[in-house]
Amino acid sequence: MDRSEALEVILDYYQNPRNYGEMQDADVSLQGGNPGCGDIITMFLKFNGDRLEKVTYTGEGCTISQAAASMLTEILPGQTIEQIENLDFHMIVELLSEEMVKTRPKCSTLGLDIAKTATRQFHQQKRLKE
Amino acid sequence: MYAHPDYLVETDWVADHLDDPTVRVVESDEDYLLYETGHIPGAVKVDWFTTLQHPVRRDFLSREEFETLCSNSGIANDTTVVFYGDRNNWFACYALWLFEYYGHKHSKIMNGGRAKWAAEGRPLTREVPNYPKTSYHAETPDSTIRAFRDEVMRHVAERHPLVDVRSPQEFTGELLHMPNYPQEGATRGGHIPGAVNIPWSKAVREDGTFKSADELSEMYASQGVKPGENVIAYCRIGERSSHTWFVLKYLLGFPRVKNYDGSWTEWGNLVGAPIEKGPVETKGG
């Protein structure tokens, strides 16, 4: 994917966000970011057993952070708790391109970091109940 | 009235000068892709991170690289450069400060920034302009506007005014770093001894335009920050403090004000550097 292709994809997800909105029956939700910087994302996750069933998000902020969060809501469903906890920035590089991740690493990975933390919290709560 | 009103232009002035060959409009944003979503017709993009930073060490691009940047952007030494951007012109001021660091003499900020331009329904385009290259000569870096660590140490010892423009929670040390951004934090929280906390955003109204000279003067004077003193402003990496530097230098006419771009990411990680925590009692004017 060259720069212009990556750019068009990112702008599309920014201007036409997918799965935007609160999820009332989420198993876990978590907010992250920094109001002072302008990037805020809340991820809502619903699991079916150990597998992520659905993700939605709300938020505001820069193009990259919001587009990445939107993309994650399509990529993450179907993955197991373990798979999600093992994801890292390489996945974001594949989604956004290396240039975007290098220029704005914190914006690029914000959504993923929140989703991973939320997944970890869900996993811990699940183990406590068992 | 502002001390140097010529450093600030309104959106209608910019609109009237879009085709002025002596003017170059520069967009500098915190949001890396905002320019690509649409920008003022004819504006060029200068990204604070990818364009202005040295790629390896913590410093800015070299003098030669700055000359190349200006040349490629169609900026000549006598070009009037008008900076604007998101976040109340946060990085627009940072870019202006850097341009001035390398000696560019003709710079302005578009009051209200990108948000005001868009709110007024003015045109935005995705077309990226292409300008003929110029021959640009940069000056030796201007040390009168940039403070380094050792000077700040002396500044503290001599009890000159320091303005910490971060949020109150960062100033008091309640926050070591922004939530979810530990890589931009410091190992210690607090502020440089003697600093007063005047967050940068207090200088602008809700629409992003700067407050009046009287309002700004009162805001700083009430905390003991007055012209005639040597003043240093700092934040986390020097971007918010460049906004305050612009206010103090060009709107209020402070003759000696510097931006400490090492800021808290340097000071808060510096072995042995003195730190104060907690709020400071408001100083009398």
Side-chain angles (χ1 to χ4, degrees):
Chain A
M1 186 165 54
D2 64 21
R3 187 187 194 268
S4 62
E5 288 169 340
L7 185 59
E8 289 305 316
V9 170
I10 292 168
L11 292 182
D12 178 39
Y13 273 85
Y14 175 71
Q15 290 163 340
N16 305 291
R18 280 66 153 169
N19 299 304
Y20 188 93
E22 295 183 11
M23 190 195 307
Q24 299 304 321
D25 61 342
D27 289 310
V28 62
S29 65
L30 185 67
Q31 184 182 88
N34 174 47
C37 233
D39 289 343
I40 304 176
I41 294 172
T42 306
M43 304 289 280
F44 302 84
L45 282 64
K46 183 160 184 63
F47 290 84
N48 185 354
D50 278 358
R51 203 166 287 273
L52 183 60
E53 187 176 82
K54 188 178 175 185
V55 185
T56 68
Y57 81 105
T58 59
E60 57 185 40
C62 76
T63 311
I64 290 177
S65 72
Q66 302 305 301
S70 184
M71 289 181 188
L72 286 172
T73 67
E74 292 186 331
I75 300 289
L76 292 180
Q79 301 211 27
T80 64
I81 290 174
E82 186 180 352
Q83 286 173 324
I84 294 170
E85 289 181 346
N86 286 323
L87 290 172
D88 63 18
F89 75 96
H90 291 101
M91 179 230 203
I92 302 297
V93 170
E94 284 184 27
L95 284 182
L96 301 181
S97 83
E98 194 171 342
E99 175 198 339
M100 302 302 168
V101 176
K102 271 187 177 173
T103 53
R104 293 295 193 272
K106 65 181 196 224
C107 304
S108 309
T109 56
L110 178 60
L112 178 62
D113 289 343
I114 295 169
K116 287 178 62 174
T117 305
T119 298
R120 214 171 295 127
Q121 284 182 3
F122 171 76
H123 195 190
Q124 285 166 355
Q125 288 161 11
K126 189 169 179 294
R127 279 191 290 194
L128 284 173
K129 286 179 188 171
E130 286 167 358
Chain B
M1 188 173 173
Y2 296 132
H4 300 282
D6 50 315
Y7 272 84
L8 205 57
V9 291
E10 300 299 328
T11 48
D12 54 0
W13 186 96
V14 175
D16 290 341
H17 288 80
L18 290 183
D19 296 323
D20 186 340
T22 68
V23 173
R24 181 71 66 244
V25 182
V26 170
E27 178 163 339
S28 200
D29 300 312
E30 199 254 343
D31 184 339
Y32 178 61
L33 292 181
L34 204 54
Y35 174 88
E36 280 80 355
T37 68
H39 49 268
I40 293 178
V44 297
K45 172 179 173 174
V46 168
D47 183 66
W48 74 273
F49 187 69
T50 57
T51 313
L52 299 182
Q53 303 296 311
H54 191 283
V56 178
R57 69 174 187 273
R58 183 164 175 201
D59 205 345
F60 298 104
L61 73 174
S62 69
R63 183 175 167 184
E64 293 70 27
E65 287 164 337
F66 180 75
E67 290 175 336
T68 302
L69 165 65
C70 289
S71 170
N72 290 343
S73 302
I75 295 171
N77 283 88
D78 59 357
T79 300
T80 295
V81 182
V82 181
F83 297 90
Y84 78 101
D86 63 355
R87 313 288 297 154
N88 298 319
N89 280 325
W90 193 358
F91 279 104
C93 290
Y94 182 82
L96 183 149
W97 173 78
L98 198 283
F99 267 61
E100 187 161 309
Y101 183 60
Y102 279 120
H104 195 77
K105 299 284 187 288
H106 312 282
S107 298
K108 300 177 189 297
I109 291 287
M110 184 178 81
N111 207 6
R114 188 189 160 94
K116 187 166 186 280
W117 180 274
E120 291 171 348
R122 298 185 186 270
L124 292 171
T125 179
R126 291 186 62 179
E127 187 180 332
V128 178
N130 203 357
Y131 295 108
K133 289 189 179 184
T134 64
S135 176
Y136 191 93
H137 170 76
E139 303 292 336
T140 305
D142 183 356
S143 61
T144 68
I145 66 171
R146 187 183 186 189
F148 291 91
R149 177 199 64 223
D150 292 347
E151 177 178 0
V152 178
M153 289 277 187
R154 289 193 300 272
H155 199 88
V156 172
E158 294 167 6
R159 304 170 78 86
H160 294 301
L162 273 163
V163 182
D164 185 322
V165 312
R166 299 174 297 161
S167 67
Q169 293 86 350
E170 291 171 278
F171 178 83
T172 61
E174 179 187 336
L175 282 182
L176 281 182
H177 57 78
M178 299 180 294
N180 282 312
Y181 296 141
Q183 68 274 27
E184 284 199 4
T187 52
R188 294 291 187 267
H191 53 269
I192 300 177
V196 294
N197 185 210
I198 307 175
W200 69 278
S201 57
K202 286 186 176 288
V204 295
R205 299 191 185 92
E206 280 209 22
D207 67 352
T209 56
F210 289 100
K211 290 179 178 173
S212 71
D214 287 343
E215 289 172 299
L216 293 171
S217 182
E218 167 60 24
M219 186 174 83
Y220 288 100
S222 67
Q223 296 255 36
V225 181
K226 301 172 186 175
E229 299 250 31
N230 297 334
V231 180
I232 293 177
Y234 74 94
C235 55
R236 193 180 73 249
I237 60 171
E239 85 288 20
R240 289 174 281 177
S241 49
S242 61
H243 188 278
T244 295
W245 169 86
F246 177 82
V247 169
L248 293 175
K249 184 174 174 74
Y250 289 120
L251 302 189
L252 296 182
F254 279 47
R256 293 179 302 280
V257 54
K258 296 189 179 188
N259 184 24
Y260 170 37
D261 62 286
S263 276
W264 196 254
T265 48
E266 179 177 64
W267 196 273
N269 285 315
L270 201 52
V271 175
I275 291 175
E276 281 180 352
K277 295 177 80 89
V280 176
E281 289 179 13
T282 303
K283 295 186 179 181

